[in-house]
C-alpha cells in the first residue's frame, strides 16, 4: 500500500513504526516525525521455520522507506509471549514457539525502542483513541475471539502483565471444547467457526458464511437461532466484564462481526436483559477502524515509548 501523502525523495524525520503481524500477512505503518505517513504489507510464505520468516520480515523492512529512520517501534502480535520474551504458543505459525521474540525484534531495529502487545489489546487502544473514549472494551469476533480493555486511556492489564483474553473467559463449564484445552470458553461458543458449526447442526447440512448471511436475511430459523446463541454468549461475557471494570462503551469488531449486520442489535438486546437496577449495561457500537485497528494501535504503542 503506497502512502497517500509521501513525496518522492522527501527526507523523513525520525518517527514511529507500527507493525501488525498476522498469521498470513504483515502490515506496516510509519508515522514520520514530519507528519508524513507511509504504509506497506506483505504476505507470509508457507509455514516454515521462524528464522526464515524473520529473514522475510527483514527483507521487506529493507525495501520499506518508512522503516529507514524510526525512533520507536510498536508490534501487534497474535502469539502468546511469556515474561521471558519467548513465544509460548502461536497456532497459525507453530514454528515460532520458543522463539526469543524480544531479542529478535530488537535486532531488526538497532537503536530504536521496541515494544509489543497482543493484537486485540492494541485494537482496543486504537478504537478507544478513535472514539475519544478512555474506558472502552473491545471485542473482536472472527476466526477466534480477541479483545482488549482500555481504562483511563491505558491498556489493562498492560503489556508487561499479559493480554486481555476475553475469548478464553469461561462462560459455561459444560460448554464445547476450546482449542486451549478447556471447555466452555467464549471463543468455543461465539467465534465465527463456532457459530457456523452450530448453524450446521441446526440445519443438518454444512453452512458457509455466505449461507449464514443469506439465512439471516431470509429469517431462516436455523440461522436466527445460531446467531442468537452467539449473541447470548457474548452478552454474558461482556456483562461479567462490565460488573468488574465498568467500561463506558463496548466496540464490536472482527471480520465475522463486520459481515453480520444483525449481530450488534442482537447482542444489545441480550446485553440489556442482563442489566440490573442501578447498573445499566454499556452501549455497543461497531468498530470504527475495522481491519486497521491493530495496526493503528501498534503505532500508538510506539508513540508511548
Amino acid at each position: 500500500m503506497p502512502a497517500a501523502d509521501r513525496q518522492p525523495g522527501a527526507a523523513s524525520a525520525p518517527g514511529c513504526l507500527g507493525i501488525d503481524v498476522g498469521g498470513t500477512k504483515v502490515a506496516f505503518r510509519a508515522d514520520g516525525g514530519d507528519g508524513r505517513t507511509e504504509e506497506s504489507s506483505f504476505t507470509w510464505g508457507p509455514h516454515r521455520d521462524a528464522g526464515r520468516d524473520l529473514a522475510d520480515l527483514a527483507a521487506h523492512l529493507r525495501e520499506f522507506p518508512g522503516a529507514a529512520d524510526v525512533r520507536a517501534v510498536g508490534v501487534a502480535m497474535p502469539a502468546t509471549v511469556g515474561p521471558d520474551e519467548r513465544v509460548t504458543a502461536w497456532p497459525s505459525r507453530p514454528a515460532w514457539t520458543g522463539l526469543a521474540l524480544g531479542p529478535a525484534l530488537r535486532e531488526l531495529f538497532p537503536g530504536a525502542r521496541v515494544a509489543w502487545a497482543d493484537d486485540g489489546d492494541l485494537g482496543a487502544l486504537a478504537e478507544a483513541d478513535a472514539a475519544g473514549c478512555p474506558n472502552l472494551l473491545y471485542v473482536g469476533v472472527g476466526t477466534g475471539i480477541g479483545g482488549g480493555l482500555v481504562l483511563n486511556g491505558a491498556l489493562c492489564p498492560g503489556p508487561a502483565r499479559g493480554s486481555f483474553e476475553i475469548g478464553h473467559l469461561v462462560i459455561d463449564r459444560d460448554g464445547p471444547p476450546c482449542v486451549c484445552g478447556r471447555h466452555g470458553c467464549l471463543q468455543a461458543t461465539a467465534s465465527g467457526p463456532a457459530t457456523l458449526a452450530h448453524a450446521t447442526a441446526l440445519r443438518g447440512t454444512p453452512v458457509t458464511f455466505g449461507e449464514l448471511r443469506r439465512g439471516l436475511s431470509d429469517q431462516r430459523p436455523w440461522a436466527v437461532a445460531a446467531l442468537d446463541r452467539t449473541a447470548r454468549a457474548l452478552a454474558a461475557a461482556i456483562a461479567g466484564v462490565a460488573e468488574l471494570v465498568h467500561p463506558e462503551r463496548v466496540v464490536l469488531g472482527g471480520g465475522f462481526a463486520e459481515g453480520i449486520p444483525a449481530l450488534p442489535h442482537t447482542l444489545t438486546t441480550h446485553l440489556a436483559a442482563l442489566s440490573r437496577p442501578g447498573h445499566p449495561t454499556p452501549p455497543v457500537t461497531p468498530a470504527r477502524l475495522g481491519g486497521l485497528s491493530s495496526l493503528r494501535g501498534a503505532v500508538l504503542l510506539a508513540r508511548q515509548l
Side-chain angles (χ1 to χ4, degrees):
M1 296 183 289
D5 55 352
R6 185 180 180 85
Q7 300 299 318
S12 293
C16 297
L17 175 65
I19 306 177
D20 183 14
V21 179
T24 58
K25 187 180 81 169
V26 182
F28 306 85
R29 179 183 172 93
D31 283 4
D34 52 9
R36 292 189 174 91
T37 297
E38 187 158 2
E39 295 186 354
S40 181
S41 67
F42 77 94
T43 301
W44 288 118
H47 291 201
R48 304 177 297 189
D49 63 87
R52 294 187 67 181
D53 285 344
L54 287 168
D56 285 348
L57 178 57
H60 191 86
L61 284 167
R62 286 193 294 270
E63 298 175 359
F64 178 46
D69 187 15
V70 293
R71 64 172 181 80
V73 181
V75 183
M77 283 294 302
T80 302
V81 183
D84 60 353
E85 299 189 340
R86 289 188 178 274
V87 175
T88 60
W90 189 7
S92 295
R93 300 192 84 80
W96 283 54
T97 302
L99 173 72
L101 182 66
L105 291 177
R106 287 190 286 270
E107 185 176 349
L108 289 173
F109 302 101
R113 294 188 289 277
V114 181
W116 63 90
D118 179 78
D119 52 354
D121 287 345
L122 292 180
L125 191 66
E127 290 291 345
D129 181 72
C133 180
N135 300 293
L136 179 143
L137 171 63
Y138 170 72
V139 181
V141 184
T143 303
I145 291 186
L149 177 67
V150 175
L151 294 179
N152 296 321
L155 288 174
C156 179
R161 297 186 59 208
S163 56
F164 185 81
E165 296 284 358
I166 193 171
H168 293 290
L169 187 67
V170 176
I171 59 169
D172 181 2
R173 292 285 300 275
D174 298 319
C178 182
V179 293
C180 74
R182 295 191 302 210
H183 280 257
C185 289
L186 176 64
Q187 177 169 289
T189 297
S191 67
T195 307
L196 293 177
H198 189 58
T200 293
L202 292 172
R203 191 173 76 165
T205 56
V207 175
T208 66
F209 181 60
E211 288 171 334
L212 177 65
R213 283 169 50 90
R214 289 191 292 274
L216 289 168
S217 179
D218 295 338
Q219 290 291 292
R220 301 294 185 186
W222 55 267
V224 173
L227 185 65
D228 194 70
R229 177 176 182 260
T230 289
R232 280 189 286 111
L234 289 167
I238 292 169
V241 172
E243 289 286 354
L244 298 175
V245 295
H246 308 291
E248 299 170 40
R249 182 180 306 185
V250 177
V251 168
L252 188 64
F256 182 83
E258 188 175 2
I260 305 293
L263 182 55
H265 174 73
T266 308
L267 171 57
T268 296
T269 299
H270 284 291
L271 190 58
L274 295 175
S275 65
R276 58 191 179 92
H279 295 270
T281 51
V284 178
T285 59
R288 296 190 178 197
L289 300 175
L292 296 175
S293 61
S294 294
L295 180 60
R296 297 292 181 88
V299 174
L300 289 174
L301 179 65
R303 289 177 183 167
Q304 295 174 359
L305 296 178

